[in-house]
Amino acid sequence: GQQVMQIPQYQHVQEGEDFTTYCNSSTTLSNIQWYKQRPGGHPVFLIQLVKSGEVKKQKRLTFQFGEAKKNSSLHITATQTTDVGTYFCAGRFSGAGSYQLTFGKGTKLSVIP
Amino acid sequence: KAGVTQTPRYLIKTRGQQVTLSCSPISGHRSVSWYQQTPGQGLQFLFEYFSETQRNKGNFPGRFSGRQFSNSRSEMNVSTLELGDSALYLCASSTGLAFAYEQYFGPGTRLTVT
């Protein structure tokens, strides 16, 4: 079936370094959502991207949706220990005839103080 | 505004038994989605209910079923439990269909099948 691939699976960074996670699909996505799950917690919605080439910023977080709407990225500038957690992307495949979200397997971020 | 609540939070069942999990969405939210989360498979979509109707269904066997009541509360049922059903079951509510709206997740029900 259709999948959303997310890389890397794990990332360890020194506090203050930047971090990027990527989400890729072989099929066009109508939109993409990003979630963060802290250890022992539940996913929390971060943002939704809908337009081709869209870029949105939330403080140190920058989200991009590719021009072809097949990939997306989340970039964190100057990581802090509060950024620790797993970041998930979730997309809906265009023209799929269904309206469900497919989640990537997530990128687990560790920040070394 | 109260968040999404799920009951019970923890459950231990024996293989072959059945289980019912409950989810109360945020007031005013009409969509409830269910997910299974395991370390190996990540977050997998089970189904979504909107206004008491199942709108979307993931690739899970028929042993997994759900329903939504007129007050938007939802239940999911797993019959003939298997060891592989051990997982964290999360429900999420949203004002509209989940693919287009921000989802608010509950704390989950941790199911262990022995």
Side-chain angles (χ1 to χ4, degrees):
Chain A
Q2 292 168 315
Q3 293 182 36
V4 173
M5 306 302 293
Q6 201 172 343
I7 56 170
Q9 192 174 356
Y10 302 96
Q11 185 80 60
H12 304 274
V13 300
Q14 203 76 33
E15 189 173 16
E17 291 183 337
D18 292 357
F19 159 76
T20 305
T21 173
Y22 300 91
C23 206
N24 298 298
S25 168
S26 57
T27 346
T28 306
L29 300 168
S30 66
N31 60 298
I32 197 156
Q33 298 178 356
W34 284 92
Y35 290 82
K36 175 185 178 181
Q37 185 173 22
R38 286 201 164 99
H42 55 270
V44 174
F45 177 87
L46 293 175
I47 210 154
Q48 173 164 265
L49 304 172
V50 178
K51 299 177 184 174
S52 167
E54 190 169 14
V55 178
K56 286 189 176 180
K57 293 189 177 184
Q58 289 179 350
K59 297 183 181 178
R60 295 179 294 104
L61 277 60
T62 302
F63 303 84
Q64 294 191 37
F65 201 8
E67 293 290 341
K69 299 182 77 173
K70 289 184 177 181
N71 54 71
S72 181
S73 64
L74 157 58
H75 179 83
I76 302 178
T77 304
T79 54
Q80 300 175 359
T81 54
T82 53
D83 296 324
V84 163
T86 302
Y87 292 84
F88 294 95
C89 61
R92 182 213 159 213
F93 297 107
S94 294
S98 78
Y99 296 87
Q100 71 182 57
L101 279 176
T102 300
F103 276 76
K105 291 198 173 182
T107 296
K108 188 173 183 179
L109 172 65
S110 299
V111 178
I112 306 160
Chain B
K1 202 182 247 189
V4 177
T5 58
Q6 291 187 245
T7 55
R9 293 291 312 278
Y10 302 91
L11 207 48
I12 301 175
K13 288 286 188 179
T14 303
R15 194 170 45 182
Q17 288 186 315
Q18 75 163 17
V19 66
T20 299
L21 312 181
S22 181
C23 173
S24 292
I26 290 173
S27 177
H29 285 193
R30 295 168 66 189
S31 169
V32 173
S33 298
W34 288 89
Y35 297 89
Q36 181 193 68
Q37 187 171 34
T38 57
Q41 297 299 319
L43 268 166
Q44 292 189 282
F45 171 75
L46 281 156
F47 28 66
E48 178 178 15
Y49 286 86
F50 183 85
S51 295
E52 301 180 66
T53 303
Q54 187 181 89
R55 299 302 178 112
N56 296 293
K57 189 176 189 309
N59 295 324
F60 277 82
R63 301 185 296 108
F64 292 81
S65 62
R67 59 178 176 169
Q68 187 180 34
F69 302 95
S70 58
N71 61 359
S72 292
R73 191 178 69 85
S74 178
E75 289 181 347
M76 69 162 278
N77 182 278
V78 188
S79 62
T80 320
L81 284 166
E82 300 177 359
L83 295 178
D85 297 333
S86 293
L88 180 67
Y89 290 87
L90 292 159
C91 84
S93 74
S94 49
T95 54
L97 288 180
F99 84 92
Y101 290 85
E102 175 177 354
Q103 290 187 90
Y104 294 81
F105 282 80
T109 294
R110 173 75 61 186
L111 172 64
T112 302
V113 182
T114 61

